[in-house]
Amino acid sequence: MSALSDQEIQREIGISNPLHRLKLRLAIQEMVSLTSPSAPSTSRTTLAYGDMNHEWIGNEWLPSLGLPQYRSTFMECLVDARMLDHLTKKDLRGQLKMVDSFHRTSLQYGIQCLKRLNYDRKELERQREDSNNEVKDVLVWTNERVIRWVQSIGLREYASNLIESGVHGALIALDDSFDHNSMALALQIPTTNQQARQVLEREFNSLLALGTDRRPLEGDFKRQPSWRRRLRPKEVGGMKEREAVMAGADGTGTLPSNFRIRGPGPQPMSTSPGSRRHQRDGSSPSPQPMTNVRTYSC
């Protein structure tokens, strides 16, 4: 049966649901791998004993991610833990009716959490129990545990907005793009409530530092010296231009507002009112003596 195609399974056995066919195929592959004499002992995971069957996925795991609204579709498609890593975007949108892109992202980070624990249900439950009243192991926090954390930092009036939001510990711990602004959006905190947003930013960054491997991004932008105009050193009257710049009174290396440099070459003749009158009359003005003036005004 492991060699049958999807079309053959549908025609010969009558299984029309593509996720049911996927479940059958994966179960057969697992059975073959477990009964093979050359199969390594490490392949015997808890999946083979039904610890994470479709009932556990629908009744416990999805609600723990804050996605209980998809329970019925997952249960109808008999999705168990062995199938999770094989679900495509087409499966999620079509068969499982998960059209919200954020909810799909939430699901993917929930799957990553299970993979990090080697799909060990007992280890998952143990870590959740240990972190139930402490700020640690945010990776395994459920949606309900995140809601209790929001309540504990003084934002109780917004905590209920996380119900069925898809916000859970693995999303916070693994998604680098999910920051305090994303959390404020999920909590529906108005942009005008700056006090609540400041509290959330401070506590969220503390949560990342204490309970995850992530580190909060720097909130303050520091201007780097590269924004200043870089001047090439030029010889000007025996002094380099950079030395002239650095000789400013403020010592910052920036040009004063009245700074002027005139080169050693001949300066253009000034056009006085008298010279303009001669030009209109057609007569040539008397030549003016040319002088080289070097001015350094700092």
Side-chain angles (χ1 to χ4, degrees):
M1 289 183 64
S2 60
L4 293 177
S5 64
D6 282 351
Q7 291 77 12
E8 290 172 334
I9 292 177
Q10 182 175 359
R11 183 177 63 253
E12 300 296 334
I13 306 178
I15 300 178
S16 58
N17 190 312
L19 293 184
H20 290 175
R21 295 196 297 267
L22 174 64
K23 183 183 182 73
L24 176 62
R25 186 180 302 281
L26 293 176
I28 293 173
Q29 292 176 358
E30 185 178 62
M31 184 182 300
V32 171
S33 65
L34 290 175
T35 56
S36 173
S38 60
S41 58
T42 55
S43 66
R44 296 182 177 271
T45 65
T46 56
L47 294 179
Y49 306 104
D51 284 350
M52 293 181 171
N53 57 20
H54 69 281
E55 293 182 349
W56 180 84
I57 292 294
N59 294 327
E60 298 186 34
W61 186 67
L62 284 175
S64 74
L65 302 183
L67 301 172
Q69 62 270 40
Y70 300 103
R71 174 185 177 277
S72 60
T73 54
F74 272 71
M75 294 281 283
E76 290 172 4
C77 293
L78 303 177
V79 176
D80 58 19
R82 69 166 63 86
M83 299 171 61
L84 292 175
D85 203 32
H86 298 272
L87 296 176
T88 65
K89 182 178 179 180
K90 181 180 179 180
D91 295 331
L92 294 173
R93 289 178 59 91
Q95 300 298 322
L96 300 173
K97 312 303 181 184
M98 190 175 287
V99 296
D100 190 300
S101 61
F102 180 77
H103 289 173
R104 293 197 300 270
T105 299
S106 171
L107 182 77
Q108 293 302 321
Y109 282 111
I111 296 173
Q112 287 191 34
C113 175
L114 293 180
K115 292 172 67 176
R116 290 194 175 202
L117 299 176
N118 195 28
Y119 293 92
D120 191 332
R121 176 178 170 179
K122 292 182 178 180
E123 179 63 19
L124 175 65
E125 293 174 349
R126 185 192 66 80
Q127 291 192 24
R128 284 179 173 175
E129 181 66 25
D130 290 345
S131 62
N132 194 38
N133 296 310
E134 298 182 42
V135 179
K136 66 176 185 178
D137 295 333
V138 176
L139 176 70
V140 298
W141 279 18
T142 64
N143 173 256
E144 185 269 339
R145 178 67 181 90
V146 175
I147 290 176
R148 287 197 290 113
W149 171 80
V150 172
Q151 294 172 343
S152 70
I153 64 174
L155 300 177
R156 181 178 298 272
E157 63 269 31
Y158 302 107
S160 61
N161 292 327
L162 291 185
I163 297 175
E164 297 188 359
S165 66
V167 176
H168 54 88
L171 178 73
I172 297 173
L174 300 177
D175 187 358
D176 291 334
S177 66
F178 191 86
D179 58 7
H180 60 90
N181 291 317
S182 305
M183 179 64 85
L185 184 63
L187 289 169
Q188 301 178 29
I189 301 177
T191 56
T192 55
N193 193 343
Q194 290 300 317
Q195 182 178 1
R197 284 178 169 260
Q198 289 173 2
V199 169
L200 178 62
E201 179 179 3
R202 181 179 68 251
E203 297 296 335
F204 186 85
N205 290 339
S206 176
L207 179 68
L208 294 184
L210 294 175
T212 73
D213 294 332
R214 290 179 56 190
R215 290 297 174 263
L217 299 176
E218 292 293 335
D220 297 330
F221 173 75
K222 297 180 180 179
R223 187 183 295 275
Q224 300 296 327
S226 58
W227 70 274
R228 296 192 179 98
R229 181 182 178 183
R230 297 181 180 274
L231 300 175
R232 295 181 180 178
K234 292 182 180 180
E235 294 291 340
V236 180
M239 186 194 323
K240 290 184 178 179
E241 190 175 70
R242 187 178 296 277
E243 295 173 352
V245 170
M246 297 306 295
D250 57 357
T252 61
T254 58
L255 289 172
S257 58
N258 60 346
F259 184 80
R260 298 291 186 274
I261 296 180
R262 297 184 181 179
Q267 303 300 317
M269 294 177 58
S270 61
T271 306
S272 62
S275 62
R276 287 195 295 268
R277 184 173 61 254
H278 288 297
Q279 290 175 2
R280 288 193 299 268
D281 298 339
S283 58
S284 60
S286 58
Q288 301 292 331
M290 297 180 60
T291 59
N292 294 336
V293 179
R294 298 178 182 175
T295 303
Y296 300 91
S297 174
C298 294

